[in-house]
Amino acid sequence: MATNMMGPEQPLPYAECFASPEDYVNQLLEFTSSSDMFQILSGGVHIIDFFTQEPGLFHSALPPEWHDFLLSCDIMRLLDLLLRDDLDKPFENLEKQPPKSFIDYVASIRKFSLRREFGSAENEKKLPALPRHVAVGMKPKKKHEVSSFAKYVQELSQDLKRNNGTEITHFVDFGSGQNYLGRALASEPYNRKVVAVEGREHNVSGAKGLDIQSGLATRQVVMRNKKVYQDLRSKCRGPDGFVDEAKLQEAIKEVSGAFDFRPMRELLAEYTVEEGRGTVQYVSGRLDSGELSDVIAQIDQNPDGTSPLAERQKSLMAISIHSCGNLSHYGIRSLLLNPEIHAVAIVGCCYNLLTERLGPPTYKHPYLRPTLQAINGRLRQESEKRDPQGFPMSEKFTGHQDGVRLNITARMMACQAPANWGREESEAFFTRHYYRTVLQRIFLDRGVVQRMNHRDPESESSDSDSPFDISTSPVTIGSLPKSAYSSLKTYVRGVIRKLTTSAEFKEYGHVMNAKMADITDEVIDEYEKRFAPRRKEICVVWTLMSFTAVVVESLIVSDRWTFLQEQADVQEAWVETVFDYAQSPRNLVVVGIKK
């Protein structure tokens, strides 16, 4: 491994019990591939199938000696035990004491969870305050992220120049969105050149409007004449007093050579390039790899295609705050695919949007449920199930035993932040999960969905009685209004209404009409009476899944670091925290420096 020059002394923020980064990664892979409980709680169970089998997934998934303790423990007290209690001391304020096997499991998850401490109070004091005109549109969370990360990448670029002699001329922001980060870097005190790469045109338009508000850009100056415009409107007004818009547009065209009547929002933002001042250049386009030759060719171009800085060598750093799914992989790979990129600093998020590099789980993954296609969802190309751009990135993780696989359930749970849960919000999402689980049982009983076996029932590796081989067809529901969650009845009625009337689900509407339209309130009440006493089971398992998924995130981040370590062109790579977890839980940046 290359000697660290710029990064932290420990290139992965692992616990002190590991001898080296390689020791941590090796033990992490061994634990996650050999622990049945880890595999069950990170992809083996899915919330919708909680009540579709008997005696239910709580009893099937968790060891019998855990049951009484978990059902007796208040959920917020359970969170304290999982995350904060000293496991070597007696546990207080518990009706029943946890069994040793449970504490051993909790200790293992803590051991393999990457450390997330940020030292927020000290770091916040050192952050330059964002000027009010730069912070326009930002909520407190975004202000914290932008001020922290802008300072971080600025100091990283200074370290590069000091240690390698590499002067970063531009920051390339992958998926810049409203360009909050780029606006901060282009403004005082940084005055950097930023290339904002964003595929959604409405985001680019909104970002340019904010650039004008912040003073980073000026609005296009056009010739206007309000008197002429009002005269044209008067001439196009009919006897009923209304303006004939079509006629008005024709009249405007006749005088458009002299005047510009476009609304203010349609006028272009104009950027002035001055020595010593920062600027932003927007490059629209959907990124589908880390190869950026088209983007790099446009850097510093004039509107006519000429480039006053064409002779100056570009030296780029790819950056991103919370690039979703594979976009993080593209940012990391850009270091290897583009000679002009000398460093990357990527904070990922939305792990549920990652694709899967490897195929469906094999018999070596006895608990892993395949990522299933929703029966009313958009059709997905078969090739997407084996995507070379997906997880895992590194050869080490790809080649470990049969390959590290994380289904969408495990990756979705890795987006949770159980350390930040409060009682009120926890109760709200536990209720939503409970309603969705009971609804799936209703769907099954009424023939809306069917049971399915993930493995060949005739194969030696399949256990036809295993709850981990069997599930039910997923149904996409999406968001519902808050009022739909006031009771099980309002929830069921809200789902039926959406799936039978929404244009998004019109191809599935006939199934819902045939199977669910005649369900009565009395029938729904019977389901409520039957399953309400078991709601705590869902709360417990969801909490354990979220706690376990902290190690799932450790796998994803460690894989990205390992990928960089495997590359001959990479001088050094590291992972460290850049945000306060309480404000922004996806707070681990992956950094790579090219030789």
Side-chain angles (χ1 to χ4, degrees), residues 108-263:
S108 294
I109 295 299
R110 288 193 190 184
K111 173 183 176 181
F112 290 105
S113 299
L114 292 174
R115 305 285 84 97
R116 313 300 285 270
E117 294 81 7
F118 179 59
S120 58
E122 179 183 347
N123 287 336
E124 288 282 7
K125 291 177 183 177
K126 296 179 181 178
L127 294 176
L130 291 175
R132 182 178 299 179
H133 62 278
V134 174
V136 63
M138 296 188 200
K139 295 181 179 179
K141 175 179 182 288
K142 182 59 67 176
K143 287 182 183 178
H144 171 72
E145 293 169 348
V146 168
S147 59
S148 299
F149 203 58
K151 180 174 183 286
Y152 182 85
V153 297
Q154 169 73 354
E155 292 179 349
L156 179 59
S157 70
Q158 293 170 338
D159 285 348
L160 266 172
K161 183 177 181 180
R162 191 161 44 243
N163 289 280
N164 282 11
T166 302
E167 183 169 3
I168 298 297
T169 61
H170 300 74
F171 291 114
V172 180
D173 189 356
F174 273 67
S176 57
Q178 295 286 303
N179 196 37
Y180 295 117
L181 174 62
R183 194 169 302 111
L185 284 167
S187 304
E188 294 286 351
Y190 304 115
N191 287 311
R192 302 303 298 260
K193 294 183 183 298
V194 177
V195 181
V197 184
E198 172 58 46
R200 290 167 290 190
E201 192 56 44
H202 70 275
N203 273 345
V204 174
S205 177
K208 289 180 176 180
L210 292 173
D211 288 346
I212 293 171
Q213 291 186 50
S214 72
L216 194 61
T218 56
R219 199 176 296 279
Q220 180 184 15
V221 178
V222 296
M223 291 293 293
R224 290 185 178 278
N225 191 313
K226 190 176 292 185
K227 184 177 183 302
V228 171
Y229 180 68
Q230 294 300 335
D231 286 345
L232 293 176
R233 286 183 64 84
S234 297
K235 291 177 182 178
C236 297
R237 199 180 304 278
D240 57 1
F242 292 99
V243 175
D244 184 331
E245 290 296 332
K247 189 175 180 182
L248 175 62
Q249 294 305 315
E250 288 298 322
I252 286 174
K253 286 180 182 179
E254 295 179 8
V255 296
S256 60
F259 305 107
D260 194 322
F261 298 109
R262 284 177 295 165

Side-chain angles (χ1 to χ4, degrees), residues 27-42:
Q27 289 197 47
L28 173 69
L29 290 172
E30 177 60 29
F31 169 74
T32 54
S33 62
S34 62
S35 169
D36 289 349
M37 188 50 53
F38 173 82
Q39 294 175 20
I40 288 170
L41 291 173
S42 58

Side-chain angles (χ1 to χ4, degrees), residues 53 68 75 122 201 275 300 305 320 326 351 396 476 543:
Q53 305 173 44
D68 287 346
I75 289 296
E122 179 183 347
E201 192 56 44
E275 196 67 34
D300 290 336
S320 183
N326 283 8
Y351 305 127
K396 185 177 184 68
T476 297
T543 301

Side-chain angles (χ1 to χ4, degrees), residues 257-288:
F259 305 107
D260 194 322
F261 298 109
R262 284 177 295 165
M264 290 290 288
R265 65 180 180 275
E266 294 182 11
L267 299 181
L268 300 178
E270 296 185 333
Y271 299 83
T272 303
V273 179
E274 297 180 19
E275 196 67 34
R277 284 196 62 190
T279 189
V280 174
Q281 178 182 356
Y282 291 90
V283 178
S284 297
R286 183 176 177 84
L287 294 170
D288 54 11

